[in-house]
Amino acid sequence: MLFGIDWGGTKMEIVALDARGEVQARHRVSTPATRYEDCLDAAQELVREAERQAGRAGPLGIGIPGSPSPQTGLVRNSNAVLLNGKPLGRDLERVLDRRVRIANDANCLAVSEAVDGAGAGANVVFGVIIGTGHGGGIAIKGRVHAGFQGVAAEIGHYPLPWMTPQEYPGPQCWCGKRGCLDMYACGTGFELDYGATTGTTKRAAAIIADMRAGDPVAQAAYERFADRLARSLTLLTNVVDPDVFVLGGGMSNVDELYDDLPRLIPKYVFGDGFMTPIRKAVHGDSSGVRGAAWLWKEENDE
């Protein structure tokens, strides 16, 4: 039995998977917002309830928004802010009395989809989360590729490629720089762009609904978003050239993207064409928590 926790900014969810990938337990709690120690208690509650449902114990994988430093083990860059600067892995191993593995949540998505999802059987799977932010993760042969410094595929904080004069220098990002893809190629960026153009605040789903109803302003906003996402995937192709891209997050449910991105990318890519499949995550919102559990898959197979 493998256990995985998806540790988000507002909720924490655990699943227990058997060797076939079938869910044997599932439980969810709100993410504590006041004390780090409360976070450790919440993890204990999740594990106890999942073990009760599954009737077994097992190793635990955790996907977080952010990543642990390979040098210090301290969490950095997490929007679950109570984790930043904390030795989360060591603390959880102490309070849970078991081995724990931690990875970035986008890496967990990539692992999940590489094991038994949209990238099953592919050698290199690049997972791209286009939700609140623009995140990325790499799985090679079904395992996380975090990189030497643990920041591989942190694509949200490189600048939008091939900016137009109208786009430069771009809006200020929460990281302190300007023009980051977190401000362009995600649901938040889509809404910000629409608001800057119209002076009207709307959620991404409502803008897409307007676009499908024939609203030219919403259509133009969608076309700008799709082109910016295409530029990001082009740069990733030029650098990594994965076997498949798998999209997750709220904007991955915009089905038009799967026709439009393959049409847009060839005008930017360095090469003689673009044939890489672009697929929607099979496991949807469960990809992160399943991937956290699969962090232990290779040992489970032995």
Side-chain angles (χ1 to χ4, degrees), residues 148-191:
F148 179 71
Q149 316 209 59
V151 294
E154 285 282 6
I155 61 177
H157 299 284
Y158 62 67
L160 174 68
W162 302 289
M163 278 187 177
T164 66
Q166 294 75 26
E167 291 167 335
Y168 183 82
Q172 179 115 14
C173 180
W174 61 267
C175 75
K177 299 181 175 63
R178 285 190 172 274
C180 293
L181 276 160
D182 251 11
M183 296 288 103
Y184 281 116
C186 59
T188 300
F190 182 47
E191 292 168 359

Side-chain angles (χ1 to χ4, degrees), residues 136-149:
I138 303 173
I140 300 177
K141 299 185 185 301
R143 300 187 185 186
V144 168
H145 175 72
F148 179 71
Q149 316 209 59

Side-chain angles (χ1 to χ4, degrees), residues 197-213:
T197 303
T198 65
T200 303
T201 300
K202 264 190 184 178
R203 300 302 300 270
I207 303 168
I208 293 297
D210 289 348
M211 179 266 289
R212 290 170 177 164

Side-chain angles (χ1 to χ4, degrees), residues 57-222:
L60 177 67
I62 300 176
I64 64 172
S67 62
S69 165
Q71 285 72 41
T72 66
L74 303 181
V75 174
R76 66 268 166 98
N77 303 326
S78 177
N79 66 13
V81 294
L82 294 179
L83 305 184
N84 287 323
K86 303 296 186 181
L88 181 63
R90 294 195 294 270
D91 285 343
L92 286 176
E93 288 186 336
R94 171 177 53 80
V95 300
L96 297 174
D97 191 27
R98 74 193 61 213
R99 296 178 294 169
V100 173
R101 288 180 179 170
I102 299 177
N104 176 265
D105 52 4
N107 280 325
C108 289
L109 176 140
V111 167
S112 173
E113 296 296 324
V115 170
D116 61 356
N123 184 43
V124 180
V125 176
F126 204 115
V128 181
I129 296 179
I130 43 175
T132 304
H134 185 77
I138 303 173
I140 300 177
K141 299 185 185 301
R143 300 187 185 186
V144 168
H145 175 72
F148 179 71
Q149 316 209 59
V151 294
E154 285 282 6
I155 61 177
H157 299 284
Y158 62 67
L160 174 68
W162 302 289
M163 278 187 177
T164 66
Q166 294 75 26
E167 291 167 335
Y168 183 82
Q172 179 115 14
C173 180
W174 61 267
C175 75
K177 299 181 175 63
R178 285 190 172 274
C180 293
L181 276 160
D182 251 11
M183 296 288 103
Y184 281 116
C186 59
T188 300
F190 182 47
E191 292 168 359
L192 287 172
D193 177 69
Y194 182 87
T197 303
T198 65
T200 303
T201 300
K202 264 190 184 178
R203 300 302 300 270
I207 303 168
I208 293 297
D210 289 348
M211 179 266 289
R212 290 170 177 164
D215 178 3
V217 175
Q219 177 67 40
Y222 165 76

